[in-house]
Amino acid sequence: MKDPYQVLGVPETASDEEVKRAYRELARKYHPDNYQNNPLADLAEEKMKEINAAYEDINRRRDRQSRPQSTYYQSHYDDVSSLQRVRQQIQAGNLTEAEALLNRCPDHNAEWYFLRGVIRYQRGWMDEARNDYQRACQMDPSNTEYRQALHYMNHGPARTYSPYGSFGTDLCCANLCANTCFNPWCVCPFFCCY
Amino acid sequence: MFGYVRPPLEGLTEEDSDRFRRAYCGLCHALSRRGTAARWVLNYDFTLLAILLSDGEDVPVTRRCALHPARGRPCLPATDALELAADQSLILAYWQIRDHVDDHRALKRIPFRGASAFLRDAYRNAAAARPEFDLRVQEQLRVLGQLERARCKSLDAPADAFAALLRDAARDVEPLTRRRVLQQIFYHLGRWVYLVDAADDLKRDSVSGNYNPVALRYALSDGRWTEPARRDFTLTLDHSVHNIAAAFELWDFGPWTPLLERIFYAGLFQVGRAVLDGAFHKRRIITPESEVEQ
């Protein structure tokens, strides 16, 4: 097992408060909310487990009572539905199979659009995923799962982890240093910009 | 298409700025091994590709070149990763230019023909070393060309064709975790580059009538953004940057971490915003200040 202090990125001499701060920062970075429907969510989960274990280990070493752990990782797909097999394939990361199953479903209900949105999101088709979530919400406005997915599409990135606080094209400082090129060969801009 | 990745140098420490420069010079030397003309494809996008593909080490060597014949400059040594990045850069650049030859008519295609002829020997060397990557790039650009000719109204479909092309650059990376992380970064970087490029061309394409997925998706007839269109487009860009950043956090990029963090959490947003505000100038100008002395 890795050195827990190394995992949290703090020296052994760090105070309890510093350890806690480092843990919280990392937990924020690898929190499942930051990896919603992300194809790398399993890797983030591994990281999160490692961080949790390191934090617990340090606390144990420091002869403290172990702190209550976060209740992460509740499955998004607990409910049983007619499209459960599609959900299972998505969870297993088999997007092609999930899509094939979905295409064989004759009933294009709200859940069908929602699941197509999930598949599209994982594939990186963000714009069309959002359209599907919107459609699912229009067809079943009371469904919390669909509303959460659409809410994440509309507001998600702005609330995700960033070392600089804000996250977003419209939230950044627009100061772009235009002439920072140090390409010694760049006497002809043509090749830099094809 | 390329030319949109810019490290926000003003926010970097001198050490990280120098590190980026070493990668830049290292890639330039790696390119020149495929032919003198090859170094003309050098840009920041490909430097980022080289950094991400490199195994995280940064042990500089001093190399002389035509521009720095006396003292030379510190740069990354020739590694397999750097050679790979150089070859992939050349292949991508060459086929992009060939694509422009096909897209333009008569006199307008002459400069692109000239450019492709100029690069041909270097490209052939790179393609001989990476034949599979070369074939896959051609195939993906063919798919992209079909979508563009059909004036596809989807944003995601053409962006996917281009993004998949870049994702392929990490196809043979080991171990699996690193490959998955890099493929995700490359995919969304490719998607972001394609969309930003389309946004940058919005006005030009509205005049020329050329295919522009952004204009078609949001029904922008005069090349001007509407408020809802800009908001939705920004959102889709931010989701891609978020996916890049989230993937980046899952691998240890060693000494490159602060630099990459700066690019992914600040640089991409700055360029995206400048493009949307119409303040981005792709054609870079060499200034005396741009050649910072070591």
Side-chain angles (χ1 to χ4, degrees):
Chain A
M1 191 184 158
K2 275 189 192 171
D3 173 20
Y5 290 98
Q6 208 180 336
V7 171
L8 295 190
V10 289
E12 283 191 39
T13 52
S15 68
D16 287 353
E17 195 49 45
E18 283 166 338
V19 170
K20 193 172 172 182
R21 212 178 305 129
Y23 167 74
R24 282 192 174 162
E25 179 73 2
L26 288 170
R28 211 159 66 82
K29 192 187 279 187
Y30 297 109
H31 192 279
D33 283 355
N34 219 18
Y35 290 86
Q36 264 191 42
N37 287 328
N38 191 306
L40 304 181
D42 58 314
L43 299 180
E45 195 174 331
E46 286 300 314
K47 276 271 188 194
M48 198 70 216
K49 280 180 188 163
E50 192 180 55
I51 293 158
N52 282 338
Y55 187 51
E56 265 187 84
D57 194 16
I58 291 175
N59 282 333
R60 229 185 346 258
R61 285 186 196 189
R62 293 186 175 197
D63 210 17
R64 290 267 190 88
Q65 284 184 339
S66 65
R67 296 165 198 208
Q69 290 302 300
S70 322
T71 52
Y72 302 138
Y73 314 120
Q74 287 178 353
S75 168
H76 294 288
Y77 305 119
D78 285 346
D79 55 330
V80 178
S81 82
S82 60
L83 292 162
Q84 198 183 6
R85 280 176 63 210
V86 176
R87 289 177 183 265
Q88 283 167 351
Q89 292 299 330
I90 292 172
Q91 270 192 304
N94 302 328
L95 296 185
T96 311
E97 180 59 24
E99 196 170 37
L101 284 170
L102 200 64
N103 288 337
R104 285 203 286 275
C105 290
D107 182 17
H108 293 188
N109 57 15
E111 189 182 12
W112 188 91
Y113 280 103
F114 167 72
L115 291 176
R116 194 171 72 168
V118 173
I119 294 169
R120 284 178 159 179
Y121 185 87
Q122 292 210 12
R123 287 228 162 107
W125 290 47
M126 308 302 185
D127 188 45
E128 294 183 17
R130 184 163 169 259
N131 288 344
D132 282 337
Y133 291 154
Q134 273 174 338
R135 186 88 182 255
C137 287
Q138 280 162 7
M139 292 168 88
D140 185 358
S142 62
N143 187 299
T144 321
E145 188 182 25
Y146 312 159
R147 275 173 30 212
Q148 273 176 356
L150 182 60
H151 187 265
Y152 180 72
M153 282 310 296
N154 289 334
H155 306 284
R159 293 180 187 176
T160 50
Y161 168 82
S162 164
Y164 308 123
S166 64
F167 190 101
T169 302
D170 274 337
L171 300 174
C172 77
C173 157
N175 257 346
L176 188 70
C177 196
N179 292 330
T180 53
C181 174
F182 45 67
N183 180 355
W185 305 98
C186 187
V187 285
C188 166
F190 181 83
F191 286 97
C192 303
C193 318
Y194 38 84
Chain B
M1 190 73 74
F2 298 105
Y4 290 100
V5 171
R6 289 189 184 178
L9 293 178
E10 73 278 13
L12 287 177
T13 62
E14 203 179 323
E15 191 188 354
D16 287 325
S17 187
D18 287 348
R19 186 168 283 129
F20 187 78
R21 189 192 305 278
R22 287 199 290 272
Y24 196 77
C25 289
L27 181 63
C28 185
H29 283 290
L31 282 166
S32 65
R33 280 187 280 277
R34 294 293 181 211
T36 312
R39 59 194 355 159
W40 290 84
V41 310
L42 183 65
N43 66 17
Y44 290 156
D45 306 60
F46 294 142
T47 307
L48 178 62
L49 184 82
I51 289 171
L52 289 167
L53 286 172
S54 71
D55 47 14
E57 285 182 22
D58 177 25
V59 188
V61 293
T62 301
R63 298 280 309 269
R64 291 194 181 94
C65 66
L67 281 181
H68 306 98
R71 283 189 299 158
R73 279 203 157 193
C75 65
L76 287 193
T79 59
D80 289 348
L82 210 58
E83 300 289 339
L84 174 67
D87 289 340
Q88 290 178 339
S89 307
L90 258 173
I91 291 167
L92 286 167
Y94 179 79
W95 285 112
Q96 276 281 297
I97 293 170
R98 289 302 306 171
D99 203 37
H100 285 307
V101 173
D102 295 339
D103 287 348
H104 291 78
R105 288 168 187 275
L107 288 174
K108 284 190 176 171
R109 67 161 60 168
I110 291 175
F112 296 110
R113 270 192 190 279
S116 72
F118 181 66
L119 278 183
R120 192 166 298 130
D121 285 348
Y123 154 73
R124 281 181 180 154
N125 291 335
R130 322 276 170 192
E132 286 182 7
F133 182 74
D134 182 45
L135 284 176
R136 290 195 297 268
V137 168
Q138 290 181 56
E139 171 60 20
Q140 279 306 116
L141 284 177
R142 195 183 57 76
V143 171
L144 183 61
Q146 278 175 350
L147 289 167
E148 292 182 346
R149 276 189 294 280
R151 300 185 81 78
C152 174
K153 283 188 178 174
S154 162
L155 263 191
D156 290 329
D160 176 75
F162 186 77
L165 188 151
L166 229 60
R167 179 176 55 201
D168 219 39
R171 191 186 177 107
D172 300 323
V173 167
E174 294 289 349
L176 177 64
T177 303
R178 182 164 175 247
R179 186 191 316 149
R180 288 181 64 200
V181 165
L182 286 184
Q183 284 187 327
Q184 179 80 340
I185 293 176
F186 286 164
Y187 180 90
H188 283 282
L189 202 57
R191 181 178 189 270
W192 180 89
V193 164
Y194 184 85
L195 294 179
V196 164
D197 182 60
D200 198 25
D201 287 344
L202 198 56
K203 279 204 173 130
R204 215 169 308 134
D205 290 343
S206 77
V207 175
S208 67
N210 283 350
Y211 170 75
N212 189 301
V214 175
L216 287 172
R217 165 66 180 84
Y218 299 111
L220 308 174
S221 53
D222 56 357
R224 281 198 199 140
W225 287 100
T226 60
E227 199 45 51
R230 180 179 162 136
R231 195 186 54 233
D232 287 359
F233 184 72
T234 304
L235 205 55
T236 208
L237 284 183
D238 288 353
H239 269 286
S240 269
V241 180
H242 167 57
N243 273 271
I244 293 169
F248 158 71
E249 297 294 355
L250 294 169
W251 187 257
D252 181 6
F253 288 92
W256 300 100
T257 304
L259 171 68
L260 293 171
E261 197 172 72
R262 195 78 204 157
I263 293 174
F264 294 150
Y265 285 104
L268 297 182
F269 291 138
Q270 283 183 348
V271 171
R273 177 146 179 196
V275 166
L276 291 175
D277 289 345
F280 184 76
H281 301 290
K282 200 175 179 187
R283 297 191 170 222
R284 298 170 300 193
I285 304 158
I286 280 285
T287 62
E289 293 79 35
S290 66
E291 274 281 326
V292 182
E293 285 302 316
Q294 295 290 304

